Amino acid sequence: MLMRLSHDLGLFFYDVVIARFDLWAAFGVLAQFVFGARFLVQWVASEKAERSVIPVGFWILSIVGGLMTMVYGIARRDIVIILPQVFSIFIYVRNMMLIAKHKRKAQGQIVSSSEVEASAG
């Protein structure tokens, strides 16, 4: 039984990795590497800050990796891949919008406080 299982697993991996591997599969693998790289970016940023942080690069890789994975799902006509990516990409873009809004607000506060100092001086 164990011999049969190892033989069947070998056939399965041959089918997945060799026989069915095409340009779209290579693109899908690349998409997953891009998507997974976001965790390396987050880990490095957290180690540098010595606390848990989520840098902008995390969200950029999330969007790019998510879009690539969605394109792969569309090419493969796989709703199981497409549907979650659509919702996830929306969340990633929304986070980028919130980050941009916070930066604009912070820059506005800096400008307004310097204007106050200039008018008081």
Side-chain angles (χ1 to χ4, degrees), residues 1-14:
M1 182 172 130
L2 196 53
M3 291 297 289
R4 174 77 180 161
L5 179 62
S6 67
H7 177 69
D8 288 345
L9 279 173
L11 289 176
F12 172 78
F13 285 114
Y14 176 82

Side-chain angles (χ1 to χ4, degrees), residues 69-82:
T69 304
M70 187 175 71
V71 166
Y72 172 78
I74 290 169
R76 294 292 185 173
R77 298 177 184 214
D78 190 340
I79 192 68
V80 175
I81 296 173
I82 298 167

Side-chain angles (χ1 to χ4, degrees), residues 5 24 38 60 94:
L5 179 62
W24 280 114
R38 67 198 187 123
I60 292 170
R94 180 63 183 145

